[in-house]
Amino acid sequence: MTPDFLHALFPMALIMQAVSRERFIEIPEPVLEVYRQWRPSPLYRARRLEKALDTPARIYYKYEGVSPVGSHKPNTAVAQVYYAKEEGIRKFTTETGAGQWGSALAMACNFFGMACQVFMVRVSYQQKPFRRSIMKLFGADVVASPSNLTDYGQSLLAENPDHPGSLGIAISEAVEAAVKDPEAMYSLGSVVDFVLLHQTIIGEEALRQFEKADDYPDVVIGCAGGGSNFAGTSFPFMRGRLTEGKPTRFIAAEPMACPSMTKGLYAFDYGDSAATAPIIKMDTLGHKFVPPGIHAGGLRYHGMAALVSLLHRAGHIEARAYHQVPVFDAAVTFARAEGITVAPETAHAVRAVIDEAIAAREAGEARVILFNLSGHGFFDLAAYDRYFAGELEDYEYPQEAVEAALASLPEVTLGN
Ligand SMILES: *Cc1c(COP(=O)(O)O)cnc(C)c1O
């Protein structure tokens, strides 16, 4: 695959970043100018959580919830819009699940004067009206997916007028809309290499903050949907492991209901449900996989970023899958200790952190733990209410369903 091929979808500057062999890429000044609204994000020591757990571990968290829309996602949204604008692109199309990505891109498009069309997974469109409001506030056009605006959406609605949608379907629609409009390109909020690159600002800042604190993590933890906040936090520390022999461990936390790393296959697969996006070698549950409607909407993607998958398969990343209830148990413990309500996605990382801190206590070890607090949960309080009402179900995707979805993997012949 050549850069030209990908240019049908993405701005050239971003493709060139994806294929770049440079170790570092400078952040352009107009992007830095927007970042300064909330960056550097703080690195906190979770002293009250340490006390609550009675652990000798030192727990740190990087707080990405301080961004204007409450998550790490604007780190890449702002960069993508800047480069697209430079190339004369007038409009971005994209998909969003819970609305986190859509609101980040809508804000960035608003800052740089670009149009934005967001295909929002229908169940979220109905259940999360307030994120929709934020996207509209920033001037974006928000459409429930599947929609009547694309051929693929029309075909799905013909089969089932109440189709709940999925992230893979919304991606297919956004791609189709971009390909059909000569002034538009497509923006993706996770998974692809340049998104991971933009997110490394999290880990690069954390490295410097640890220097100031005269400390260094033994374990780096993040939740993983498409892998961008996890990669962004961990890759700068992975550099220490791969090039300086530092013994840092890395843990990616995912839901039992969408276990791409712990139950998926490492194989070539499509990034979207309609099989129109390029194929990527990754940990995948199959592009036809439609995960159950768990509350961590941002973790319902069928695949995992290629670079995260590769490091996972090479043994540098440990993957752990968790059920919803223990995940919310952890979020509540964290909120009561630290005062921050974390997003349900982030709560998966918090579960892994608490388990590590307890293991450190049992081993009598002063383990240093860093995790990325990828976003706050102020738009997810309905999920917390359901947890307190005892209505959350632990859902483990059945092995047969995983196998059925994996049967649809594309056949690949490797040329030279
Ligand atoms: C989108 C999102 C995620 C998952 O996406 P990644 O690309 O895996 O980072 C995690 N946390 C929050 C708060 C999100 O909005």
Side-chain angles (χ1 to χ4, degrees), residues 132-374:
R132 209 168 77 199
S133 314
I134 292 198
M135 290 184 260
K136 288 194 174 144
L137 160 70
F138 287 123
D141 170 24
V142 189
V143 182
S145 165
S147 77
N148 275 318
L149 299 183
T150 66
D151 294 341
Y152 187 54
Q154 283 170 16
S155 74
L156 293 172
L157 288 176
E159 280 168 30
N160 175 9
D162 299 318
H163 201 299
S166 75
L167 211 50
I169 292 167
I171 294 174
S172 299
E173 286 207 273
V175 166
E176 187 183 327
V179 169
K180 281 181 176 162
D181 181 345
E183 303 213 304
M185 287 243 168
Y186 166 65
S187 175
L188 193 52
S190 184
V191 184
V192 284
D193 296 349
F194 59 79
V195 174
L196 272 49
L197 169 76
H198 301 155
Q199 293 295 354
T200 57
I201 185 143
I202 302 170
E204 293 295 344
E205 282 177 7
L207 267 173
R208 285 155 184 77
Q209 288 164 322
F210 266 103
E211 237 167 65
K212 280 192 180 171
D214 198 20
D215 214 342
Y216 195 87
D218 298 310
V219 194
V220 179
I221 296 173
C223 64
S228 77
N229 90 88
F230 173 77
T233 310
S234 59
F235 283 9
F237 292 93
M238 185 66 77
R239 185 165 73 231
R241 176 178 165 116
L242 296 178
T243 67
E244 296 158 34
K246 290 209 162 74
T248 315
R249 289 162 54 226
F250 297 86
I251 301 172
E254 65 180 11
M256 277 289 188
C258 190
S260 56
M261 300 179 91
T262 50
K263 280 202 179 163
L265 218 59
Y266 185 48
F268 281 98
D269 195 11
Y270 293 101
D272 70 319
S273 301
T276 47
I279 56 171
I280 307 168
K281 192 163 189 195
M282 60 181 175
D283 285 344
T284 180
L285 293 164
H287 61 281
K288 296 287 181 204
F289 178 84
V290 178
I294 53 163
H295 285 284
L299 303 184
R300 296 177 68 233
Y301 182 63
H302 67 269
M304 183 55 56
L307 293 172
V308 174
S309 301
L310 178 65
L311 288 163
H312 171 224
R313 298 292 164 164
H316 297 293
I317 293 170
E318 302 162 38
R320 301 213 182 131
Y322 298 104
H323 278 304
Q324 285 197 107
V325 173
V327 160
F328 275 85
D329 291 342
V332 169
T333 301
F334 187 81
R336 289 180 180 169
E338 297 290 319
I340 294 177
T341 312
V342 302
E345 291 85 358
T346 311
H348 289 73
V350 176
R351 177 74 265 165
V353 168
I354 291 179
D355 290 353
E356 278 293 310
I358 291 170
R361 177 180 72 206
E362 282 161 3
E365 226 182 84
R367 208 171 284 181
V368 180
I369 302 169
L370 163 66
F371 80 97
N372 187 41
L373 205 166
S374 54

Side-chain angles (χ1 to χ4, degrees), residues 61-187:
Y61 57 98
K62 186 80 171 143
Y63 188 37
E64 290 295 308
V66 296
S67 88
V69 292
S71 78
H72 65 288
K73 291 200 168 75
N75 297 334
T76 184
V78 171
Q80 290 189 44
V81 173
Y82 165 77
Y83 288 111
K85 183 86 189 199
E86 286 284 286
E87 289 178 27
I89 295 156
R90 298 196 122 92
K91 176 179 169 181
F92 257 145
T93 67
T94 197
E95 73 292 330
T96 196
Q100 294 266 28
W101 169 242
S103 45
L105 190 70
M107 178 184 78
C109 283
N110 158 75
F111 283 158
F112 288 93
M114 214 163 116
C116 182
Q117 184 175 46
V118 184
F119 290 87
M120 185 172 189
V121 178
R122 185 175 297 273
V123 292
S124 304
Y125 186 91
Q126 287 157 349
Q127 289 170 4
K128 310 214 162 162
F130 297 133
R131 285 238 176 251
R132 209 168 77 199
S133 314
I134 292 198
M135 290 184 260
K136 288 194 174 144
L137 160 70
F138 287 123
D141 170 24
V142 189
V143 182
S145 165
S147 77
N148 275 318
L149 299 183
T150 66
D151 294 341
Y152 187 54
Q154 283 170 16
S155 74
L156 293 172
L157 288 176
E159 280 168 30
N160 175 9
D162 299 318
H163 201 299
S166 75
L167 211 50
I169 292 167
I171 294 174
S172 299
E173 286 207 273
V175 166
E176 187 183 327
V179 169
K180 281 181 176 162
D181 181 345
E183 303 213 304
M185 287 243 168
Y186 166 65
S187 175

